Every structure is written in structure tokens, then in C-alpha cells.
Amino acid sequence: HRALGAKGLDRRLAGLEQAARLNPREAGPHHQLAGLLLSVGRVNEAIEHYRQALAADPNDGNAHYHLAVALQGRGRLDEAIDHYRQAVRVTPNNAYAHNNLGNALLARGALVEAVAAYRWAILFAPSYAQAHNNLGVALMARGEVAEGMRHSREAARLKPDWATPLATMAWTLATNPDDGVRRPSEAVRLAERAARLTGRRDATALNTLAAAYAAYGDFRQAVAAGEEALALATASGDDGLAQTIGAQLTLYTQGRPYRDSTNASAARP
């Protein structure tokens, strides 16, 4: 909407607001207005207009989907899950809705349902790299490492310059408690590439690199990468991540690698 300019945007908003007032029982004006409000960060107002659009047309799959996105962004996961479910009921081929439903379910710890949602996303969009990576994350969190790695590798194949699946695989290969799963040299290779792709400005990628170096036994480089990760997390104000990195960094200074019994990473929209 930058092309509209401030005045053009104001006129567009005013026109849609008037249309919604004049046609309160029609879904279209509310849906269009909600989309524009969402794009300019007026999320609460957008949510209200998506609700009004759905009151007029309960089977508007796109309205259910965009309302769910807005609710998820506000941390209202239970409501978001309900509307994602409605979206995939009405428009079952909406791969984005299936993927985001999986993300919300994963955040709730509902791994079985999350895996099913990601599989539906991939069924309707086989080249959807984010869904492949997210399915890999969920499967590995369930202990199904081999299949999870296959999906993360497919995500990396589909988007070769995307750091996330590289970091996902590197983390598992570096920190999995199972000696048969860990492959430190490959973890280092993948994590170094992820760090390069992010310009060494991503705390999570650098923390993964630190874990990979530690798994390989190179604790000097593990400490250096961990300190970089900690500085970035601290500067960004992410206290939770900084605390996690700090605890792992303590292990590396003691010459001990980190083992992650969950091997879960963040899923992506």
C-alpha cells in the first residue's frame, strides 16, 4: 500500500469503512476493509471486521484463514486453531491454512495433530518448503528422526538459500542424545552454511553453530560462536533465548557438548 501514499490510503480506508457501514450484512466490504486494516497494523480493528464478514458469510474460507492469522499474531492460539479448522473445512486445498494450523497445534504441544496438518499442506502443495521443514521439526520432536530429516532435507533442496532447514538438521545432528543419530562433521558443515546465509546476524543460527562445534569437540570455536549468539540475543532483548544460550555456553566453557532430548525447533509460516 505504499504506492497509494498516505492520502490515498486514507481515502481507501474511508471508502471501505463507508461501504461496510452502508452494507453491514454483506461480507465483501468487511473482508476488504479487514485486509487493509491488517496491512497497516490495525490488528484489533481487522479482527472485528473479519468477524463481521463471517457473520454475513460463515463459509468464507479466506476470512476464516486471515482471521486465524490475526488471532495467532495476537497469541490467541485456541481461537486461531478454531478458525484454521474452519478454513480447511471450507477450502481444504488451502495449504497455507493447513501449515499454519500445524504451527498453532505445535505451539500447543499437539504433535500428532500438527504432523497431520503439515502432511495435508504438503499433499496440496508438494513444493511448499516451509511445510516440509515444519513437518521435519514436528516429526523429530516426536522422535521420528529419520523421516523428519528427510523432510528438512527436502525443504533445503526446494529453497537452497534458506538457512532454517540447514539449522534444523544441524541442531539434530549435533545435539541428539542418540549416538547413532549424531554426525558432528555434517552438523558443522550445515551450521556454517546457515550462519553464512544469515550473515552471522541470527542468534539461533549461531547457537546452532556453537552446538555443532561442541559436538565435534572444537570447544574454542564453540565458545566463540556461542558468545556471538549471546550478544545478538541480548541486544535484541530476547531474554529467554539469551538465558538458553548462556546455559549452553557454560557447558562449552567446561569442555562439554550440549544434548537436547527434545530436538524441537521453531516452525515457520
Side-chain angles (χ1 to χ4, degrees):
H1 300 294
R2 291 178 182 175
L4 286 172
K7 290 183 179 179
L9 181 60
D10 288 343
R11 285 195 296 270
R12 178 66 172 156
L13 280 168
L16 288 172
E17 286 168 347
Q18 183 178 27
R21 281 195 303 271
L22 294 174
N23 305 280
R25 296 183 181 179
E26 291 185 16
H30 287 293
H31 196 159
Q32 293 178 55
L33 176 57
L36 189 55
L37 288 166
L38 196 60
S39 73
V40 297
R42 292 164 61 177
V43 179
N44 291 335
E45 293 170 82
I47 286 172
E48 179 56 32
H49 283 284
Y50 279 129
R51 292 195 188 283
Q52 291 186 56
L54 287 168
D57 182 5
N59 289 319
D60 185 339
N62 283 330
H64 278 295
Y65 170 70
H66 290 296
L67 174 56
V69 170
L71 290 166
Q72 188 171 8
R74 281 286 188 258
R76 293 158 65 176
L77 284 181
D78 291 338
E79 292 174 85
I81 288 170
D82 179 61
H83 284 286
Y84 282 132
R85 291 194 192 282
Q86 293 297 322
V88 299
R89 176 186 63 81
V90 177
T91 52
N93 63 343
N94 185 341
Y96 297 104
H98 285 290
N99 179 69
N100 284 12
L101 172 59
N103 290 347
L105 289 166
L106 190 64
R108 276 282 179 259
L111 286 173
V112 173
E113 293 175 276
V115 165
Y118 294 136
R119 290 196 193 281
W120 280 109
I122 291 167
L123 177 67
F124 291 113
S127 297
Y128 191 175
Q130 286 87 342
H132 278 287
N133 184 67
N134 293 343
L135 177 55
V137 168
L139 287 167
M140 284 187 271
R142 284 199 340 187
E144 299 174 47
V145 176
E147 187 183 1
M149 289 289 289
R150 283 198 297 273
H151 283 283
S152 290
R153 290 189 192 283
E154 178 65 5
R157 185 190 70 81
L158 290 165
K159 292 186 71 173
D161 294 330
W162 187 30
T164 297
L166 302 174
T168 297
M169 291 186 286
W171 184 260
T172 295
L173 294 172
T175 68
N176 194 284
D178 187 340
D179 292 343
V181 171
R182 287 196 310 280
R183 293 202 290 275
S185 59
E186 184 178 359
V188 168
R189 179 179 61 80
L190 292 167
E192 285 181 337
R193 187 166 175 225
R196 285 196 301 272
L197 286 170
T198 57
R200 299 184 77 92
R201 300 302 302 167
D202 183 279
T204 299
L206 285 170
N207 189 48
T208 300
L209 180 59
Y213 282 138
Y216 191 68
D218 188 342
F219 292 102
R220 182 185 62 80
Q221 290 208 80
V223 169
E227 288 176 343
E228 282 187 77
L230 181 59
L232 287 171
T234 302
S236 70
D238 192 335
D239 295 335
L241 180 58
Q243 185 175 1
T244 297
I245 293 171
Q248 293 165 14
L249 183 55
T250 298
L251 291 175
Y252 309 149
T253 61
Q254 297 169 352
R256 298 161 56 199
Y258 176 71
R259 298 288 179 259
D260 181 6
S261 60
T262 65
N263 266 271
S265 305
R268 303 289 168 151

